[in-house]
Structure formats: structure tokens, C-alpha cells
Amino acid sequence: MILQANDVHTWYGTSYVLQGTSIEVPESQCTAVLGRNGVGKTTLVRTICGFTPPGRGEVRLRGERIDAMPAHRIVRQGLAVVPQGRRVFKNLSVEENLQVAAVDRARVAEVWERFPRLHERRSSVAGRLSGGEQQMLAIGRALVTDPTVLVLDEPTEGLAPAITESLLGMLQELKRSGVSLLLTEQSVGFALALADTAYVMSSRGQIAYAGTAAALAADASVQEKHLGVAV
Amino acid sequence: MDYWIALLLNAISFGMVLFLLSAGLTLTLGTMRLLNLTHGSFFLVGAYVTFELERHGVDLALAWGAAVLATALCGAVVFVLLRPTGEDHLRQTLLTFGVLFVIADAALVIVGGDPAILPRPGFLEGTLDLGLLDYPKYRLFLVAVGLGMAGLLFWFQYRTRAGMMLRAVVDDPEMARGVGINPTVLAAVTFVVGAGIAGLSGALGGVLLGAFPGVDLQVLLFALVVVIVGGAGSIGGALAGSVVIGLVNTVTIAFAPGLALFSMFGVMLAILTLRPQGIAGKALA
């Protein structure tokens, strides 16, 4: 397993959000964490990437513990995050957004190749980009840190269907290139099109279901009970 | 006519001293959210180090360099002291206010209480013929240094990777960590460099403002007003705020000296009412 969260418990102040969550991300695969709004998906991402370290439990990257590391060191260990709401640096240009994160120039050139649209708009202030372009930039900004694991928190949120479609293509290609993906989603269709393994989170970070994505896709009762939709 | 031009140049040269003084403060307050009341003490230290070294026969240019290094070192010490306060502005205020008194008393013991007359280099003595009027060379030199420093800081913020990182931290501190930026290192460098520039303002600007016990508080007030008027976190704002306060102060002193402090705070009050984030700033969280 390239990434593991073992029985993590996370608090926001006195609010006890993740009450013992465990997930595993196999190398070069895509793992999806599904669940309704407010069940703790974003908190799990924040716990893993070091924004809100767990009060108890451990997070391991390639077997090494990272749960006590500050976020900027976790990135250097090879775990990059594309956060909810994208959070590009709005007052920096597209190119600057990549430069501040890049480990070297060659990485930026790779992103230009992967996302020609970003290269066209490299001098634009990131705050002026469309939602889809900002999502591309957020992914590019994560890629220039040379990650082995890429964590994406609700990447389809607020994107038009056509954009979501091309995002799916981009992420499938990333997966093929060997990057391990961890994805949280409310959009079951999107997640299951990409994921090999799927977890379903009920309230407070409880894992209600774990299995292959194909099995979850076939299991209408789990989907109805915890996700409230059928694909 | 030349009276007005001289007045304007006086205001601008004084404004440049204010800019050197407040550049560091606006960055550490606006980007790192560090409230540092010892910032005026850096001016005092810069002025006194220059004074003492030159008095003991050190070349003036070397004394200026030493003043910058000494204040940068002071800045490093204050930064380390500030670490445990986290983001608590009340604790930062109390701590740095205490350090302000420690530095002031140490200066009193070492230099004494008499006002120090700061030296000027020989080639900047006298006036330069500007056509319409003869104007003191030293003040023109201050304008050049101030504008040069502004250019340097702009270049740093917009053309260097460290400057971009600093702007990324201003945009979204947490996400900046999330792409691998170490905010502590960045804050330390900003703090130390800002202290050094404030030291330079003391070394050069002490000629105008004087160097005496109490000047630290006086210039701290100036710096805080400039940062508020200009908008915390913005070099351009600090430049604009410095010139505005330089103008207001110089003009009021020329025509109604008793109202100098009042007019400065009047401008601050107006800005706080009409544009609380300052001329160029973004709202402080």
C-alpha cells in the first residue's frame, strides 16, 4: 500500500469529526471515498495532507509515518493535494502558481504539455480563470511537486458536465502514467468510472462499505442507503 | 514658487525615510500577521550604531553597513522571541512592547541620553543647483535610496521565486504550505530583511529626524500610520502611504506646527472610515 490511514481520529477544536477512519490506497491505482455532504470526506483529506493532523491514529506514506509532519514536508515526501474549491493562488499568474510549487523547471514544462490551455493562459491572473481552468491549474500545481500520490477532494464540484468529462480523461491518463490517486466525491458516476477501489463513508468518518469499484457499482442497496442515488 | 517646490521635495524626502522605515513592518504585519512594536527600535539601533561607529573613526559607508547588519540581527532575535506567540496579537503586542523598553534602556546605558547628531558623507554636504532652486544634496540622496529600495522590493516580490511564494502565502497561507512552502523560513527572512531596512532608515533618516531617547516610539507611530494608510502587506501601499504622510506632516509643520500630529491622525481616521483596508491593501483577517 502506498498510502494508509489507520484508525485516524480528527477534531476541529472540540468537534469530533473523524471517529476512527481507516483506508488504504494501492500503488498506481485510483481509490475513491464516496459519501454524502458532511460525513467527513474533506476532513479525511485534510488529515492526510497535514492541514488538520489527527489527534489519534496514523497516516503512512510508503510505510513511513507522516501524521506528525507539517504539510509542507508531507508534499516533499510525495503526497500532493488538489483541495476542495481548488484554491489556486488568485493574485498570482498561472505560471507563478506553478513556479511556487515546482521542484524544477522541467516539471512546469510537463504541465504545459499536458494542459496546453494553461500554457495559453500562463500570464493571466489565476483568479480570472474559469472553473475548469482553475481545476486544471490546481492539478498542474500538484503535479509539479512530483507526487507519487495525488489526493483530490471533490474535483467535479461546480464544474459543467462537459468539463467533468474532460477532467475524467485527464485523471485516467494520470493514473496510466503511474500516479496513485485518492479521490473523494459525491458524484458516484464520476468516481466509479475512475476508481479501482471504493469506500463509502457514512457519518463521522465511519467506513460503511469497502470493496472494488465494480462491486459497488453493482450494489444498488449500498448506494441507495449511503449515497441516496442509483447510477 | 521655489518655496513650494522645496516644500514638496522636503515632503518626498521625508516620505522616503518613512518608506524605508515601514516597508518591513507592512510586510511582516500584512503577510505574516506579526504585530511588531519593536519596529521603531530598529530605527533607533540603526541610528545609534552609525553614530557610535563613525564617532570611533569607522568609515561612514562601513558604519551604515554595520547598522543594517546589527538591526537585522536584532530582528532575528525578536523573531525568535515571537515564535511562541503563534498568531495571538495581544501576546505579540505585550512581548514586543517589552522588548521596545529593553532596547531603549540598553541604548540609554550604552549611548547616553544626549541627542546624537548623525554624520553625513562629505560629498553629500551642501546643495545641488536644480535650476529653479538649490536643494540639499543629502535629501536628494534620500529620495534616490528610497526609490531604489522600492524598486528592489518590487523586483523581489514580482520577479523572484521567494517573492512569489510570499504573495502565495498572502493569498492562502494554508494552501501555500500545501504546495511545499515553508512559511516559517519565509517569515524569518522577511522579518530579518525588514528589520535591516528599518535600520537603514535610522542610519540615513536619523539625520532628518534625529536620534534620541524616545525617537523609537515616535517613528513607530509614523510607521504604524503609514502601514494603516497604505494598507498592510503592500509595498506599493507603503510607498503611497509614506508620501501621503510625508506631505501631510511637512505641510502642516510649515503652516500650523501645532497641528502636525493631529493632521497625521486625521488622515488615518479618514482612511479608516472611507477605505479601512488602506490605499492598496486587502482587508486584514
Side-chain angles (χ1 to χ4, degrees):
Chain A
M1 290 300 145
I2 191 120
L3 178 71
Q4 292 164 289
N6 298 330
D7 191 29
V8 292
H9 297 252
T10 303
W11 284 261
Y12 286 129
T14 55
S15 156
Y16 187 12
V17 184
L18 290 189
Q19 306 188 352
T21 309
S22 301
I23 62 158
E24 293 188 324
V25 178
E27 191 159 3
S28 302
Q29 291 192 15
C30 176
T31 304
V33 176
L34 293 153
R36 290 199 184 97
N37 222 352
V39 296
K41 298 189 300 297
T42 292
T43 307
L44 179 64
V45 170
R46 293 181 56 87
T47 301
I48 289 171
C49 74
F51 288 165
T52 312
R56 241 168 70 204
E58 47 178 52
V59 182
R60 288 176 185 272
L61 181 65
R62 285 191 230 88
E64 305 280 329
R65 285 191 64 170
I66 57 166
D67 47 82
M69 274 185 199
H72 63 268
R73 280 192 50 209
I74 294 178
V75 183
R76 296 292 168 237
Q77 301 296 310
L79 186 143
V81 64
V82 178
Q84 188 173 30
R86 306 178 271 275
R87 290 170 74 174
V88 296
F89 300 117
K90 290 195 169 58
N91 293 307
L92 271 59
S93 71
V94 169
E95 189 166 14
E96 288 171 338
N97 264 275
L98 298 179
Q99 279 174 350
V100 294
V103 288
D104 56 52
R105 279 176 186 282
R107 288 275 151 189
V108 178
E110 276 174 35
V111 169
W112 293 149
E113 218 167 286
R114 195 183 286 276
F115 304 123
R117 178 68 187 151
L118 288 184
H119 188 250
E120 280 168 33
R121 303 214 56 181
R122 63 190 177 280
S123 317
S124 305
V125 174
R128 298 238 177 87
L129 300 182
S130 71
E133 289 167 339
Q134 286 192 9
Q135 188 60 271
M136 255 186 245
L137 180 56
I139 293 172
R141 184 181 63 179
L143 290 179
V144 294
T145 66
D146 195 14
T148 43
V149 179
L150 185 62
V151 182
L152 302 114
D153 193 6
E154 305 217 7
T156 65
E157 187 188 37
L159 295 186
I163 308 286
T164 303
E165 197 60 36
S166 72
L167 180 67
L168 184 64
M170 281 176 218
L171 293 178
Q172 272 162 343
E173 202 188 303
L174 261 183
K175 196 173 98 172
R176 272 197 296 278
S177 71
V179 180
S180 313
L181 301 176
L182 172 63
L183 171 80
T184 73
E185 259 306 332
Q186 290 194 57
S187 161
V188 180
F190 181 85
L192 293 185
L194 196 61
D196 305 284
T197 315
Y199 291 89
V200 175
M201 214 182 241
S202 61
S203 67
R204 308 236 155 226
Q206 304 296 313
I207 299 296
Y209 175 92
T212 65
L216 178 61
D219 191 335
S221 73
V222 171
Q223 287 194 36
E224 256 170 66
K225 186 167 176 221
H226 296 290
L227 305 170
V229 283
V231 202
Chain B
M1 180 63 193
D2 32 341
Y3 173 76
W4 288 101
I5 295 173
L7 198 67
L8 186 68
L9 285 171
N10 282 348
I12 291 174
S13 53
F14 176 51
M16 289 304 140
V17 174
L18 292 181
F19 172 69
L20 292 177
L21 176 69
S22 18
L25 188 67
T26 198
L27 286 183
T28 51
L29 181 65
T31 67
M32 304 306 164
R33 299 284 186 270
L34 286 170
L35 191 54
N36 171 30
L37 298 185
T38 60
H39 200 77
S41 312
F42 298 152
F43 178 96
L44 185 80
V45 170
Y48 274 172
V49 167
T50 307
F51 174 70
E52 283 292 320
L53 287 181
E54 206 270 347
R55 202 160 63 101
H56 288 93
V58 178
D59 181 71
L60 186 53
L62 277 180
W64 283 346
V68 171
L69 286 180
T71 43
L73 191 67
C74 282
V77 172
V78 174
F79 182 79
V80 171
L81 290 175
L82 274 171
R83 291 302 298 150
T85 65
E87 293 176 354
D88 185 342
H89 275 178
L90 179 61
R91 289 171 70 195
Q92 291 169 4
T93 305
L94 293 173
L95 177 89
T96 55
F97 206 51
V99 176
L100 182 155
F101 285 119
V102 172
I103 294 178
D105 276 0
L108 200 58
V109 170
I110 298 168
V111 187
D114 294 332
I117 308 296
L118 281 169
R120 280 183 294 199
F123 74 98
L124 292 174
E125 293 289 349
T127 58
L128 190 71
D129 186 0
L130 292 181
L132 279 168
L133 76 166
D134 288 339
Y135 195 74
K137 285 181 192 165
Y138 189 75
R139 280 186 173 262
L140 293 172
F141 167 71
L142 287 178
V143 175
V145 173
L147 291 178
M149 184 61 74
L152 199 66
L153 290 174
F154 274 120
W155 172 80
F156 168 78
Q157 267 202 310
Y158 290 93
R159 288 286 173 266
T160 69
R161 186 154 180 257
M164 289 169 201
M165 288 179 172
L166 197 64
R167 284 157 53 222
V169 170
V170 178
D171 254 14
D172 189 337
E174 185 179 73
M175 199 55 228
R177 286 203 297 279
V179 298
I181 296 170
N182 183 341
T184 311
V185 171
L186 213 53
V189 171
T190 310
F191 201 92
V192 168
V193 170
I197 300 173
L200 184 66
S201 80
L204 303 181
V207 175
L208 264 63
L209 288 162
F212 48 87
V215 77
D216 43 357
L217 273 169
Q218 198 180 315
V219 298
L220 173 66
L221 216 54
F222 273 120
L224 287 171
V225 172
V226 165
V227 169
I228 291 168
V229 169
S234 160
I235 292 292
L239 192 61
S242 297
V243 172
V244 167
I245 295 301
L247 270 173
V248 169
N249 196 265
T250 307
V251 171
T252 330
I253 284 181
F255 297 104
L259 296 179
L261 268 184
F262 173 81
S263 65
M264 193 168 81
F265 288 112
V267 170
M268 187 176 92
L269 196 68
I271 288 277
L272 281 176
T273 312
L274 301 172
R275 198 177 153 76
Q277 72 273 38
I279 295 171
K282 288 181 292 175
L284 270 183

